[in-house]
Amino acid sequence: MEESIHGLQEYIEFQYTFTFSTVLAVIPILYMTPTIVVMFKIFMSCRSPSHWNHAHSMNHNIYIIIMLYFLFNTLFFLSDFIRFSLPTTGILTSWCASIQPNHFFKIIFFLTFYFNYCILILPFLLCLIRLVILFYPKDHPMICHKIMTFSIPFLFLIPFCCTAFMIPALGYCRQMGPPLHFGATYLYYSGGWFGWRNSYIHLVMSIVTCSLTVLCSVLMVWKLRQSAFNNSSARTKQQSQRAETSLSITMISFVIPFINNTILTAVYLTIPSWVYYLMIFRPFGNDCETIMMPWILYLTHPMFRKKTTVRQSSAVSTIRATSSPIL
């Protein structure tokens, strides 16, 4: 167990003091609290029976994916906070050092990456559903139903397959290096099956899911521009431009965590001594997508605007009926 602090007297006698690590741990709570409130407002708005009869109601499949996305993002934030942000403050260092490596710490690490893999898959699934709706406006209910029936079980199965090698492992508290202070730790694992490393699996999953999501998003941009070009309605062009802008912002939001984690993994595998400098900014990079997706939906989707003028146009209706945080 490399860099383990368990049983070491200097860590058992460690006394917590307020440092910059505590500030870094508190900042995410400040921006995640209103974000969770927005997530709850979206959930409650969509639960209303009148919502589904509204001109701007959300597609049922998109609604399910968005709610799952909100759920897994919240669970990932909480588990990652316990695994990384809280231990770096030094509050748990003395307690951690006084107990043996155990499965409880392993479960926290396991769940953090299980939820993270779910978050990697859901944007692609959301983009795929949106793509089907845009390309097959008449047949999309049947096609989307088949996609959801097939993909939802795999949404839970694939992350488990990616993390199952940790089942026999033990979790332990690991000392962080400079520039973080003495006593700053985080949870890690040791003793997984076949000697597999989570960093390689996470890197491959990130590249695959991000590439597929970007591909679907590019196809959606092309379809939106084509629809706007073929329709002379100024209102339709305006709606298409707004959808494209929202899509571009959201693409940036899920590419930032990918770049953040890819660079961190590459440095960890090649120059381990530098990785702790990047770890300071890692939580903020991961939170970009968590924050931006619900706020984009809440601020741009027509169903959250109190005063809206509905214009009866088939092209406009198509765009509105398929509104999502991606558009």
XYZ file of all heavy atoms in Angstrom, residues 115-201:
721
model
N -20.217 5.889 -10.221
C -21.058 7.035 -10.595
C -20.401 7.850 -11.710
O -21.085 8.375 -12.596
C -21.309 7.917 -9.379
C -22.046 7.243 -8.264
C -21.724 7.485 -6.928
C -23.075 6.360 -8.531
C -22.411 6.856 -5.900
C -23.773 5.722 -7.500
C -23.431 5.978 -6.181
N -19.070 7.953 -11.684
C -18.361 8.711 -12.712
C -18.529 8.071 -14.090
O -18.722 8.773 -15.088
C -16.883 8.812 -12.353
C -16.123 9.717 -13.297
O -15.183 9.301 -13.950
N -16.525 10.975 -13.371
N -18.480 6.744 -14.154
C -18.691 6.055 -15.429
C -20.124 6.254 -15.928
O -20.346 6.395 -17.137
C -18.375 4.565 -15.285
C -16.911 4.268 -15.138
C -16.433 3.451 -14.117
C -15.985 4.799 -16.020
C -15.085 3.179 -13.975
C -14.628 4.543 -15.884
C -14.191 3.730 -14.863
O -12.845 3.468 -14.731
N -21.086 6.261 -15.024
C -22.480 6.535 -15.415
C -22.592 7.929 -16.021
O -23.294 8.123 -17.027
C -23.397 6.422 -14.196
S -23.606 4.744 -13.557
N -21.892 8.891 -15.427
C -21.918 10.266 -15.931
C -21.267 10.351 -17.305
O -21.685 11.147 -18.154
C -21.207 11.209 -14.930
C -21.990 11.279 -13.618
C -21.049 12.604 -15.509
C -21.255 11.979 -12.502
N -20.252 9.544 -17.557
C -19.607 9.538 -18.867
C -20.537 8.996 -19.951
O -20.523 9.465 -21.085
C -18.331 8.685 -18.822
C -17.133 9.249 -18.053
C -16.015 8.214 -17.994
C -16.628 10.535 -18.679
N -21.361 8.021 -19.593
C -22.235 7.371 -20.570
C -23.484 8.192 -20.866
O -23.931 8.271 -22.018
C -22.635 5.965 -20.061
C -21.400 5.063 -19.966
C -23.680 5.318 -20.969
C -21.658 3.749 -19.257
N -24.045 8.844 -19.861
C -25.347 9.522 -20.014
C -25.347 10.654 -21.045
O -26.313 10.773 -21.806
C -25.830 10.024 -18.657
C -26.455 8.935 -17.774
C -26.623 9.435 -16.344
C -27.796 8.478 -18.336
N -24.324 11.516 -21.122
C -24.350 12.543 -22.183
C -24.407 11.956 -23.584
O -25.089 12.497 -24.456
C -23.051 13.327 -21.948
C -22.753 13.141 -20.507
C -23.207 11.748 -20.193
N -23.692 10.851 -23.796
C -23.768 10.191 -25.106
C -25.172 9.665 -25.369
O -25.713 9.835 -26.470
C -22.758 9.045 -25.183
C -23.028 8.094 -26.315
C -22.920 8.519 -27.632
C -23.408 6.785 -26.062
C -23.187 7.647 -28.686
C -23.670 5.919 -27.099
C -23.561 6.345 -28.419
N -25.780 9.042 -24.367
C -27.135 8.520 -24.538
C -28.128 9.648 -24.798
O -29.023 9.521 -25.646
C -27.544 7.731 -23.282
C -28.916 7.060 -23.303
C -29.054 6.113 -24.481
C -29.162 6.317 -21.985
N -27.961 10.756 -24.099
C -28.831 11.917 -24.307
C -28.681 12.466 -25.728
O -29.670 12.757 -26.408
C -28.502 12.997 -23.282
C -29.305 14.293 -23.349
C -30.785 14.018 -23.167
C -28.811 15.281 -22.322
N -27.430 12.596 -26.175
C -27.185 13.094 -27.533
C -27.739 12.130 -28.583
O -28.246 12.569 -29.620
C -25.692 13.291 -27.760
S -24.993 14.710 -26.899
N -27.645 10.834 -28.314
C -28.151 9.838 -29.257
C -29.665 9.949 -29.403
O -30.196 9.909 -30.521
C -27.758 8.431 -28.791
C -28.195 7.273 -29.695
C -27.555 7.405 -31.074
C -27.816 5.935 -29.052
N -30.373 10.107 -28.280
C -31.827 10.269 -28.322
C -32.193 11.552 -29.072
O -33.103 11.563 -29.919
C -32.413 10.300 -26.899
C -32.226 8.942 -26.209
C -33.896 10.675 -26.923
C -32.989 7.809 -26.842
N -31.472 12.635 -28.789
C -31.730 13.900 -29.473
C -31.503 13.777 -30.974
O -32.227 14.325 -31.782
C -30.807 14.997 -28.909
C -31.158 15.425 -27.504
C -32.445 16.204 -27.442
N -32.311 17.448 -28.181
C -32.985 17.733 -29.272
N -33.856 16.890 -29.760
N -32.832 18.889 -29.887
N -30.452 13.028 -31.332
C -30.120 12.827 -32.742
C -31.237 12.071 -33.461
O -31.626 12.427 -34.578
C -28.804 12.061 -32.850
C -28.056 12.123 -34.188
C -27.664 13.553 -34.507
C -26.822 11.228 -34.132
N -31.756 11.044 -32.807
C -32.853 10.266 -33.400
C -34.093 11.137 -33.588
O -34.764 11.075 -34.626
C -33.184 9.040 -32.517
C -34.477 8.361 -32.988
C -32.035 8.045 -32.539
N -34.391 11.985 -32.603
C -35.568 12.855 -32.689
C -35.425 13.851 -33.838
O -36.391 14.122 -34.560
C -35.782 13.598 -31.355
C -36.141 12.600 -30.256
C -36.883 14.642 -31.483
C -36.213 13.206 -28.875
N -34.231 14.379 -34.032
C -34.006 15.350 -35.104
C -34.040 14.707 -36.488
O -34.564 15.277 -37.438
C -32.671 16.059 -34.894
C -32.618 17.105 -33.778
C -31.196 17.609 -33.602
C -33.551 18.260 -34.056
N -33.474 13.501 -36.602
C -33.386 12.849 -37.912
C -34.654 12.061 -38.266
O -34.958 11.885 -39.448
C -32.172 11.915 -37.956
C -30.888 12.604 -38.306
C -30.152 13.261 -37.338
C -30.420 12.611 -39.614
C -28.964 13.901 -37.659
C -29.235 13.251 -39.942
C -28.503 13.908 -38.962
N -35.374 11.588 -37.242
C -36.591 10.805 -37.504
C -37.755 11.374 -36.682
O -38.207 10.750 -35.707
C -36.363 9.331 -37.143
C -35.199 8.703 -37.862
C -33.955 8.591 -37.229
C -35.323 8.243 -39.169
C -32.870 8.018 -37.890
C -34.247 7.668 -39.836
C -33.025 7.569 -39.185
O -31.951 7.003 -39.844
N -38.242 12.556 -37.041
C -39.293 13.210 -36.239
C -40.597 12.419 -36.154
O -41.339 12.564 -35.180
C -39.507 14.546 -36.975
C -38.969 14.324 -38.346
C -37.847 13.352 -38.204
N -40.900 11.578 -37.137
C -42.152 10.814 -37.122
C -42.004 9.466 -36.414
O -42.909 9.028 -35.710
C -42.639 10.586 -38.557
C -43.065 11.862 -39.272
C -43.592 11.550 -40.670
C -44.048 12.832 -41.384
N -44.550 12.547 -42.758
N -40.877 8.813 -36.611
C -40.689 7.459 -36.076
C -39.882 7.421 -34.783
O -39.579 6.337 -34.278
C -39.979 6.587 -37.125
C -40.778 6.467 -38.411
O -42.021 6.470 -38.330
O -40.158 6.382 -39.494
N -39.517 8.580 -34.265
C -38.619 8.577 -33.105
C -39.196 7.920 -31.855
O -38.433 7.338 -31.083
C -38.130 9.995 -32.790
C -39.145 10.874 -32.138
N -39.419 10.821 -30.795
C -39.941 11.848 -32.650
C -40.332 11.722 -30.491
N -40.675 12.350 -31.602
N -40.537 7.946 -31.583
C -41.017 7.274 -30.364
C -40.666 5.792 -30.332
O -40.205 5.283 -29.303
C -42.531 7.495 -30.418
C -42.706 8.735 -31.216
C -41.639 8.673 -32.257
N -40.852 5.105 -31.435
C -40.558 3.676 -31.487
C -39.052 3.423 -31.396
O -38.602 2.554 -30.636
C -41.098 3.084 -32.788
C -40.801 1.598 -32.970
S -41.287 0.979 -34.586
C -40.152 1.918 -35.647
N -38.258 4.211 -32.136
C -36.803 4.014 -32.133
C -36.210 4.329 -30.763
O -35.381 3.582 -30.234
C -36.144 4.893 -33.217
C -36.683 4.531 -34.603
C -34.631 4.732 -33.188
C -36.207 5.450 -35.713
N -36.657 5.434 -30.167
C -36.139 5.837 -28.854
C -36.510 4.820 -27.773
O -35.718 4.560 -26.857
C -36.658 7.216 -28.481
S -35.957 8.558 -29.472
N -37.716 4.265 -27.887
C -38.142 3.253 -26.908
C -37.213 2.042 -26.958
O -36.815 1.504 -25.911
C -39.582 2.835 -27.191
C -40.061 1.737 -26.290
N -40.357 1.932 -24.956
C -40.278 0.406 -26.540
C -40.741 0.786 -24.417
N -40.702 -0.151 -25.347
N -36.848 1.610 -28.156
C -35.942 0.470 -28.302
C -34.555 0.806 -27.765
O -33.919 -0.025 -27.096
C -35.853 0.064 -29.772
C -37.141 -0.557 -30.315
C -36.975 -0.970 -31.770
C -38.249 -1.617 -32.302
N -38.122 -2.023 -33.729
N -34.088 2.021 -28.043
C -32.774 2.436 -27.538
C -32.756 2.456 -26.018
O -31.820 1.957 -25.378
C -32.393 3.819 -28.105
C -32.162 3.738 -29.613
C -31.141 4.357 -27.410
C -31.911 5.080 -30.268
N -33.807 3.002 -25.416
C -33.874 3.089 -23.949
C -33.973 1.703 -23.323
O -33.339 1.418 -22.296
C -35.065 3.942 -23.538
C -34.945 5.407 -23.916
S -33.645 6.272 -23.018
C -34.399 6.361 -21.387
N -34.775 0.819 -23.920
C -34.926 -0.536 -23.393
C -33.598 -1.277 -23.384
O -33.289 -2.032 -22.451
C -35.952 -1.329 -24.239
O -37.194 -0.642 -24.243
C -36.147 -2.726 -23.692
N -32.800 -1.038 -24.404
C -31.514 -1.706 -24.517
C -30.437 -1.027 -23.670
O -29.603 -1.706 -23.048
C -31.090 -1.721 -25.992
C -29.729 -2.302 -26.233
C -29.539 -3.675 -26.273
C -28.622 -1.474 -26.406
C -28.282 -4.215 -26.496
C -27.355 -2.000 -26.629
C -27.188 -3.384 -26.667
N -30.439 0.292 -23.613
C -29.316 1.035 -23.034
C -29.388 1.191 -21.513
O -28.334 1.217 -20.856
C -29.223 2.417 -23.678
O -30.409 3.154 -23.472
N -30.574 1.311 -20.936
C -30.675 1.539 -19.486
C -30.032 0.403 -18.687
O -29.262 0.672 -17.746
C -32.145 1.742 -19.059
C -32.669 3.066 -19.600
C -32.273 1.707 -17.541
C -31.935 4.292 -19.103
N -30.290 -0.888 -19.008
C -29.570 -1.943 -18.268
C -28.057 -1.839 -18.415
O -27.311 -2.070 -17.451
C -30.105 -3.238 -18.908
C -31.436 -2.873 -19.466
C -31.282 -1.458 -19.935
N -27.585 -1.475 -19.621
C -26.151 -1.353 -19.838
C -25.577 -0.139 -19.123
O -24.387 -0.110 -18.796
C -25.847 -1.273 -21.340
C -25.804 -2.616 -22.008
C -26.945 -3.174 -22.548
C -24.611 -3.333 -22.065
C -26.903 -4.413 -23.156
C -24.570 -4.579 -22.668
C -25.707 -5.124 -23.220
N -26.406 0.865 -18.866
C -25.957 2.030 -18.112
C -25.482 1.621 -16.721
O -24.526 2.191 -16.191
C -27.096 3.050 -18.003
C -26.864 4.243 -17.079
C -25.719 5.109 -17.589
C -28.136 5.071 -16.944
N -26.143 0.634 -16.126
C -25.761 0.153 -14.798
C -24.718 -0.964 -14.878
O -23.903 -1.112 -13.965
C -26.995 -0.344 -14.043
C -27.986 0.731 -13.727
C -29.035 1.010 -14.594
C -27.868 1.492 -12.575
C -29.954 2.019 -14.312
C -28.770 2.498 -12.279
C -29.813 2.766 -13.153
N -24.743 -1.738 -15.972
C -23.848 -2.886 -16.089
C -22.426 -2.487 -16.461
O -21.451 -3.001 -15.882
C -24.406 -3.863 -17.131
C -23.582 -5.132 -17.377
C -23.481 -5.961 -16.099
C -24.209 -5.960 -18.506
N -22.263 -1.579 -17.433
C -20.933 -1.202 -17.904
C -20.078 -0.597 -16.781
O -18.915 -0.993 -16.598
C -21.035 -0.238 -19.106
C -21.603 -0.973 -20.323
C -19.666 0.352 -19.446
C -21.858 -0.090 -21.525
N -20.603 0.367 -15.987
C -19.786 0.883 -14.877
C -19.394 -0.198 -13.877
O -18.286 -0.154 -13.326
C -20.711 1.933 -14.229
C -21.592 2.374 -15.338
C -21.850 1.150 -16.140
N -20.291 -1.161 -13.646
C -19.944 -2.248 -12.717
C -18.807 -3.094 -13.275
O -17.884 -3.466 -12.538
C -21.160 -3.125 -12.450
C -20.873 -4.278 -11.520
C -20.773 -4.078 -10.154
C -20.679 -5.553 -12.024
C -20.480 -5.139 -9.296
C -20.386 -6.619 -11.190
C -20.290 -6.415 -9.824
N -18.862 -3.389 -14.585
C -17.787 -4.168 -15.210
C -16.456 -3.425 -15.137
O -15.398 -4.049 -15.008
C -18.143 -4.467 -16.667
S -19.526 -5.606 -16.881
N -16.505 -2.099 -15.218
C -15.283 -1.290 -15.176
C -14.689 -1.194 -13.778
O -13.503 -0.862 -13.622
C -15.563 0.116 -15.707
S -15.933 0.189 -17.476
N -15.490 -1.472 -12.759
C -15.016 -1.320 -11.377
C -15.006 -2.640 -10.599
O -14.550 -2.664 -9.458
C -15.908 -0.316 -10.620
O -17.293 -0.680 -10.797
C -15.721 1.093 -11.134
N -15.491 -3.729 -11.214
C -15.626 -5.006 -10.501
C -14.285 -5.556 -10.031
O -14.234 -6.319 -9.060
C -16.328 -6.030 -11.398
N -13.182 -5.193 -10.696
C -11.871 -5.700 -10.294
C -11.486 -5.244 -8.892
O -10.573 -5.800 -8.272
C -10.804 -5.257 -11.304
C -10.457 -3.802 -11.235
C -9.386 -3.360 -10.463
C -11.205 -2.861 -11.932
C -9.066 -2.011 -10.398
C -10.884 -1.517 -11.871
C -9.816 -1.084 -11.105
N -12.192 -4.225 -8.353
C -11.880 -3.721 -7.010
C -12.557 -4.530 -5.904
O -12.315 -4.261 -4.717
C -12.342 -2.268 -6.873
C -11.663 -1.278 -7.767
S -12.221 0.395 -7.357
C -12.104 1.185 -8.951
N -13.389 -5.495 -6.239
C -14.167 -6.222 -5.218
C -13.286 -6.804 -4.115
O -13.603 -6.645 -2.925
C -15.031 -7.309 -5.886
C -16.155 -6.653 -6.694
C -15.619 -8.264 -4.839
C -17.024 -7.629 -7.473
N -12.170 -7.484 -4.422
C -11.350 -8.026 -3.325
C -10.392 -7.011 -2.705
O -9.700 -7.326 -1.730
C -10.552 -9.141 -4.015
C -10.374 -8.647 -5.406
C -11.642 -7.890 -5.738
N -10.338 -5.804 -3.244
C -9.352 -4.815 -2.791
C -9.711 -4.254 -1.417
O -10.844 -4.389 -0.929
C -9.253 -3.678 -3.807
N -8.735 -3.606 -0.805
C -8.930 -2.879 0.444
C -8.667 -1.401 0.185
O -7.791 -1.034 -0.601
C -7.986 -3.386 1.525
C -8.257 -4.778 2.097
C -7.174 -5.161 3.086
C -9.627 -4.855 2.759
N -9.440 -0.549 0.850
C -9.225 0.880 0.731
C -8.357 1.385 1.866
O -8.392 0.857 2.976
N -7.558 2.415 1.581
C -6.695 2.959 2.622
C -6.475 4.447 2.381
O -6.747 4.967 1.291
C -5.350 2.223 2.663
C -4.463 2.442 1.464
C -3.414 3.366 1.496
C -4.644 1.704 0.295
C -2.577 3.553 0.407
C -3.810 1.878 -0.803
C -2.782 2.807 -0.746
O -1.960 2.989 -1.829
N -6.009 5.136 3.410
C -5.714 6.564 3.317
C -4.276 6.748 2.854
O -3.350 6.141 3.407
C -5.910 7.246 4.669
S -7.648 7.418 5.133
N -4.105 7.609 1.875
C -2.809 7.792 1.230
C -2.360 9.245 1.376
O -3.138 10.165 1.151
C -2.934 7.419 -0.248
C -1.642 7.346 -1.018
C -1.943 6.899 -2.441
N -0.733 6.619 -3.192
C -0.712 6.209 -4.446
N -1.855 6.044 -5.100
N 0.423 5.973 -5.057
N -1.106 9.441 1.750
C -0.563 10.781 1.909
C -0.392 11.458 0.557
O 0.054 10.852 -0.410
C 0.789 10.717 2.619
C 1.568 12.021 2.636
C 0.865 13.144 3.385
O 0.261 12.905 4.426
N 0.929 14.357 2.863
N -0.787 12.729 0.485
C -0.586 13.522 -0.717
C 0.740 14.275 -0.607
O 1.167 14.663 0.476
C -1.740 14.494 -0.915
C -3.096 13.814 -1.000
S -4.424 14.948 -1.420
C -4.159 15.144 -3.172
N 1.362 14.500 -1.757
C 2.661 15.161 -1.782
C 2.546 16.660 -1.984
O 1.449 17.223 -2.013
N 3.688 17.332 -2.144
C 3.700 18.778 -2.390
C 2.906 19.122 -3.644
O 2.851 18.322 -4.587
C 5.194 19.067 -2.586
C 5.906 17.915 -1.951
C 5.022 16.743 -2.132
N 2.240 20.271 -3.661
C 2.356 21.402 -2.723
C 1.407 21.323 -1.540
O 1.319 22.274 -0.763
C 1.973 22.583 -3.616
C 0.938 22.022 -4.533
C 1.391 20.619 -4.821
N 0.684 20.219 -1.379
C -0.254 20.090 -0.269
C 0.510 19.822 1.030
O 1.573 19.200 1.029
C -1.259 18.984 -0.553
C -2.201 19.286 -1.730
C -2.966 18.051 -2.152
C -3.167 20.394 -1.376
N -0.081 20.253 2.123
C 0.597 20.209 3.413
C 0.651 18.792 3.977
O -0.076 17.899 3.532
C -0.133 21.128 4.408
C -1.560 20.695 4.656
N -1.917 19.830 5.666
C -2.705 21.002 3.991
C -3.226 19.624 5.629
N -3.730 20.330 4.637
N 1.498 18.588 4.963
C 1.567 17.321 5.668
C 0.219 17.057 6.346
O -0.326 17.919 7.018
C 2.687 17.361 6.720
C 2.720 16.143 7.597
C 3.266 14.956 7.134
C 2.184 16.191 8.875
C 3.291 13.827 7.951
C 2.210 15.071 9.698
C 2.768 13.882 9.234
N -0.304 15.867 6.175
C -1.598 15.510 6.758
C -2.719 15.486 5.744
O -3.804 14.986 6.024
N -2.464 16.052 4.559
C -3.475 15.997 3.494
C -3.463 14.604 2.876
O -2.440 14.129 2.394
C -3.181 17.047 2.428
N -4.607 13.923 2.889
C -4.687 12.552 2.402
C -5.860 12.399 1.432
O -6.644 13.331 1.225
C -4.878 11.567 3.573
O -6.126 11.847 4.227
C -3.741 11.681 4.568
N -5.961 11.243 0.847
C -7.133 10.883 0.047
C -7.275 9.370 0.067
O -6.332 8.644 0.419
C -7.029 11.418 -1.381
C -5.959 10.784 -2.243
C -6.288 9.895 -3.263
C -4.613 11.092 -2.052
C -5.304 9.322 -4.066
C -3.633 10.547 -2.850
C -3.977 9.650 -3.853
O -3.007 9.095 -4.642
N -8.442 8.881 -0.300
C -8.707 7.442 -0.261
C -8.256 6.790 -1.563
O -8.529 7.287 -2.652
C -10.199 7.174 -0.033
C -10.810 7.706 1.268
C -12.248 7.249 1.397
C -10.000 7.273 2.478
N -7.602 5.644 -1.406
C -7.135 4.881 -2.558
C -7.419 3.403 -2.284
O -8.067 3.057 -1.282
C -5.641 5.147 -2.781
C -5.168 4.842 -4.186
C -5.656 5.553 -5.273
C -4.226 3.838 -4.417
C -5.218 5.277 -6.560
C -3.784 3.559 -5.698
C -4.292 4.277 -6.764
O -3.861 3.997 -8.038
N -6.981 2.519 -3.160
C -7.257 1.098 -3.007
C -5.997 0.295 -3.326
O -5.059 0.770 -3.976
C -8.391 0.663 -3.942
C -7.976 0.624 -5.393
C -7.565 -0.553 -6.003
C -7.951 1.790 -6.155
C -7.150 -0.579 -7.330
C -7.550 1.775 -7.477
C -7.150 0.593 -8.056
O -6.736 0.577 -9.358
N -5.983 -0.967 -2.894
C -4.877 -1.863 -3.194
C -5.381 -3.292 -3.165
O -6.233 -3.641 -2.340
C -3.749 -1.687 -2.170
O -2.678 -2.581 -2.446
N -4.876 -4.126 -4.084
C -5.219 -5.547 -4.057
C -6.363 -5.950 -4.961
O -7.075 -6.909 -4.664
N -6.557 -5.240 -6.065
C -7.617 -5.608 -6.999
C -7.261 -6.842 -7.808
O -6.100 -7.272 -7.850
N -8.235 -7.413 -8.470
C -8.014 -8.597 -9.292
C -7.077 -8.315 -10.466
O -7.143 -7.252 -11.091
C -9.346 -9.111 -9.840
C -10.114 -9.967 -8.880
C -9.602 -10.792 -7.922
C -11.535 -10.071 -8.768
N -10.616 -11.403 -7.218
C -11.812 -10.981 -7.725
C -12.611 -9.488 -9.460
C -13.110 -11.324 -7.354
C -13.896 -9.821 -9.091
C -14.149 -10.729 -8.048
N -6.236 -9.288 -10.784
C -5.403 -9.300 -11.995
C -4.420 -8.120 -12.066
O -3.804 -7.905 -13.110
C -6.268 -9.286 -13.270
C -7.437 -10.230 -13.230
C -8.730 -9.750 -13.316
C -7.231 -11.603 -13.090
C -9.814 -10.620 -13.272
C -8.317 -12.474 -13.045
C -9.604 -11.991 -13.134
N -4.294 -7.372 -10.980
C -3.398 -6.228 -10.995
C -3.873 -5.083 -11.878
O -3.074 -4.222 -12.269
N -5.166 -5.053 -12.180
C -5.708 -3.995 -13.036
C -5.626 -2.655 -12.337
O -5.739 -2.557 -11.115
C -7.158 -4.301 -13.407
C -7.296 -5.414 -14.414
C -6.313 -6.199 -14.923
C -8.516 -5.862 -15.006
N -6.819 -7.114 -15.797
C -8.180 -6.925 -15.883
C -9.845 -5.479 -14.910
C -9.132 -7.612 -16.634
C -10.798 -6.150 -15.652
C -10.438 -7.206 -16.505
N -5.497 -1.599 -13.140
C -5.413 -0.247 -12.597
C -6.596 0.573 -13.107
O -6.899 0.580 -14.311
C -4.105 0.421 -13.005
C -2.887 -0.296 -12.443
C -1.607 0.420 -12.821
N -1.493 1.726 -12.167
C -0.431 2.513 -12.288
N 0.603 2.124 -13.032
N -0.394 3.683 -11.685
N -7.213 1.271 -12.203
C -8.391 2.063 -12.540
C -8.058 3.178 -13.529
O -8.889 3.553 -14.362
C -8.988 2.662 -11.266
C -10.248 3.455 -11.536
O -11.283 2.897 -11.879
N -10.162 4.760 -11.394
N -6.851 3.721 -13.457
C -6.479 4.852 -14.305
C -6.552 4.500 -15.783
O -7.015 5.305 -16.601
C -5.074 5.342 -13.947
O -4.151 4.271 -13.941
N -6.112 3.291 -16.163
C -6.155 2.885 -17.577
C -7.593 2.716 -18.053
O -7.952 3.140 -19.161
C -5.386 1.573 -17.772
C -3.890 1.699 -17.625
C -3.225 1.094 -16.561
C -3.135 2.420 -18.544
C -1.850 1.201 -16.413
C -1.759 2.532 -18.416
C -1.119 1.927 -17.347
O 0.235 2.046 -17.208
N -8.425 2.068 -17.237
C -9.827 1.829 -17.605
C -10.561 3.150 -17.751
O -11.317 3.368 -18.707
C -10.509 0.934 -16.547
C -9.818 -0.425 -16.473
C -11.990 0.746 -16.877
C -10.315 -1.311 -15.355
